[in-house]
Amino acid sequence: MDNQKIISPCISICKTDYNTGYCYGCARTNKEKIIWKDERTSNQWKKENINKLIQRMTGWQLDAFNESYQHKIKTGISIFKKNQIKK
């Protein structure tokens, strides 16, 4: 069993687009967010979901997600949340 922790794709910009149903920050649906929080969800599903999320994004959204998600993986906190703490 793969015990490596997969970091949640949430980058602290939690607002759902009315038309698509996707979060502006991470491109997840509300159902996907619930699945992520379930401790029984496999790392394989999480990895596949992250790939699916990235395919949903384009342009500035993808750029912002990649930068903030990589920052979160390295530091444990998204860029947005880091900036909120500084204020």
Side-chain angles (χ1 to χ4, degrees):
M1 184 172 190
D2 184 1
N3 291 328
Q4 178 187 4
K5 179 158 173 59
I6 307 297
I7 303 297
S8 165
C10 176
I11 59 169
S12 305
I13 302 171
C14 305
K15 179 84 173 155
T16 302
D17 179 90
Y18 177 78
N19 291 316
T20 65
Y22 299 147
C23 175
Y24 287 119
C26 66
R28 291 184 295 174
T29 63
N30 288 334
K31 182 177 179 181
E32 288 168 329
K33 290 175 186 180
I34 292 167
I35 294 170
W36 265 91
K37 290 180 181 179
D38 186 335
E39 62 188 32
R40 298 168 294 178
T41 301
S42 72
N43 282 346
Q44 182 64 33
W45 184 91
K46 290 177 180 181
K47 289 175 186 176
E48 290 171 3
N49 185 245
I50 288 173
N51 288 332
K52 186 184 292 186
L53 302 176
I54 290 169
Q55 291 174 2
R56 288 179 186 159
M57 296 182 228
T58 59
W60 66 266
Q61 183 187 27
L62 180 57
D63 294 342
F65 174 80
N66 283 332
E67 181 180 5
S68 192
Y69 188 57
Q70 290 307 310
H71 187 272
K72 183 177 179 181
I73 290 170
K74 290 177 188 171
T75 67
I77 190 169
S78 70
I79 292 172
F80 180 79
K81 193 169 269 190
K82 179 184 91 170
N83 290 338
Q84 291 294 338
I85 291 169
K86 284 183 176 180
K87 292 182 178 182

